[in-house]
Amino acid sequence: MTRNIALIFIFLIGFVSSIFGQVNPNHIYVSGYTRSDGTVVKPYYRTASNSTNIDNFSTVGNTNPYTGKAGWVPRDDNYAYNYFSSKSTSTRNKSVKTYRKTEKIKNYGSQKQWIKNKLYRYAKKSLKKDKSYNKSLRSETKKQRRVAKKNKALTVENRSNGWYNINFARTAEINKKAENLLLERQVLIENGKIIKYIGSENMVYDVYDFRKSGSGYEVKIIFPDNSISKVYFKVFLYQEEPLKNTPEFDYPSVVFFYVTESNNGGEISLVLESKDKVYWGGFMDEYWNEMPDCQTTKNVIKFYLPKGNYTFYAENNKSLWSNSLVVNKYCQGMRLTYK
């Protein structure tokens, strides 16, 4: 009888939760770590990120199934981004035209000379900055090759839990030639597995999968929009003992650019720059009739960036965009508009 009452009670909890809460069914395990101030953060689960907080564990009406703690954060009932939305308060009661597909940007007409001239000035500054950055990559590669020559590659298994310096091997195109680079990075090892990776600019990623490959390991990471890296990259462990101090790191932000109308100028190319680095975004040749979100992978130009100040410029045969950008949120959408 007691068991039946307990089962009924559990059922009622689930039933009530289904009425008043809507928790995201996609959960992500976050490994514990120690902050730079010495604070220990225990391992925990969180909901997969998306454009609303309605389905978060911490939102009012929801309950964390792992801790039993009730949500306390007010519901947003809205997209979290700072750009136009057919679901935003300002347009909620208006008739908004929406579609479920993108459409091709038409391409005709010649590029204006003033766009060419201005792009040339931008390009000169970008090339100078890019040259300086590539020089630093080559310098670091020389250093890490000496480290690799001095220290033999080690196995992850039976290694103590903690953060380790590793060599990260990658191929990059510099001055139109492919160069093999070797850079210092960090990984977190727990129970004989690589579970986190700190990449360029101290951005940390969860590791989706790793496997032994020769004297090193091949690793796939999870990006902050929950997509998985398409290819494995190579890392080599050379430290016997973990680092005494936890390296500094921050989670990257997702920044994506998109357009919502065609200006008959053809495909759009976009470049984004920080103080020291140039990020080539590629091309975009379709426009949206609905709002893309953080998980959108096609027909947007997307970056994973550390928080900070940036500038960007984009162009096609008819328009030129240039503006500053402050990255300070988990996900930011930037709509390029025509004047």
Side-chain angles (χ1 to χ4, degrees), residues 97-114:
K97 185 179 180 182
T98 60
Y99 298 88
R100 297 298 170 191
K101 63 182 180 65
T102 59
E103 297 178 17
K104 279 286 184 184
I105 297 174
K106 296 177 182 178
N107 183 10
Y108 59 84
S110 59
Q111 188 180 42
K112 293 181 178 178
Q113 189 63 37
W114 69 271

Side-chain angles (χ1 to χ4, degrees), residues 22-41:
Q22 48 182 49
V23 173
N24 188 331
N26 298 317
H27 301 173
I28 295 175
Y29 176 77
V30 180
S31 303
Y33 60 93
T34 303
R35 295 187 179 131
S36 57
D37 61 1
T39 304
V40 176
V41 179

Side-chain angles (χ1 to χ4, degrees), residues 111 114-123 313 315 320:
Q111 188 180 42
W114 69 271
I115 293 181
K116 286 185 177 180
N117 292 338
K118 200 165 187 180
L119 276 176
Y120 178 72
R121 292 197 296 272
Y122 281 133
Y313 62 88
E315 58 85 27
L320 176 68

Side-chain angles (χ1 to χ4, degrees), residues 99-159:
Y99 298 88
R100 297 298 170 191
K101 63 182 180 65
T102 59
E103 297 178 17
K104 279 286 184 184
I105 297 174
K106 296 177 182 178
N107 183 10
Y108 59 84
S110 59
Q111 188 180 42
K112 293 181 178 178
Q113 189 63 37
W114 69 271
I115 293 181
K116 286 185 177 180
N117 292 338
K118 200 165 187 180
L119 276 176
Y120 178 72
R121 292 197 296 272
Y122 281 133
K124 283 185 68 175
K125 292 180 181 179
S126 297
L127 288 173
K128 184 177 180 181
K129 187 179 295 184
D130 202 41
K131 184 177 181 181
S132 176
Y133 179 72
N134 290 335
K135 185 177 179 180
S136 69
L137 293 180
R138 287 181 174 130
S139 176
E140 186 175 352
T141 294
K142 289 181 180 179
K143 173 188 172 184
Q144 292 309 118
R145 282 177 178 162
R146 291 195 296 268
V147 171
K149 188 176 181 179
K150 183 179 178 181
N151 301 278
K152 67 176 183 177
L154 305 173
T155 58
V156 169
E157 292 74 19
N158 301 320
R159 205 61 52 190

Side-chain angles (χ1 to χ4, degrees), residues 280-300:
W280 165 244
F283 294 94
M284 176 169 49
D285 64 358
E286 295 190 5
Y287 70 92
W288 286 86
N289 276 320
E290 64 173 359
M291 186 183 69
D293 61 23
C294 191
Q295 278 72 45
T296 303
T297 57
K298 296 182 179 180
N299 305 314
V300 296

Side-chain angles (χ1 to χ4, degrees), residues 64-84:
N64 188 320
Y66 301 97
T67 64
K69 186 176 181 180
W72 69 94
V73 177
R75 295 163 60 93
D76 58 20
D77 282 333
N78 201 347
Y79 280 85
Y81 313 137
N82 61 346
Y83 52 88
F84 95 104

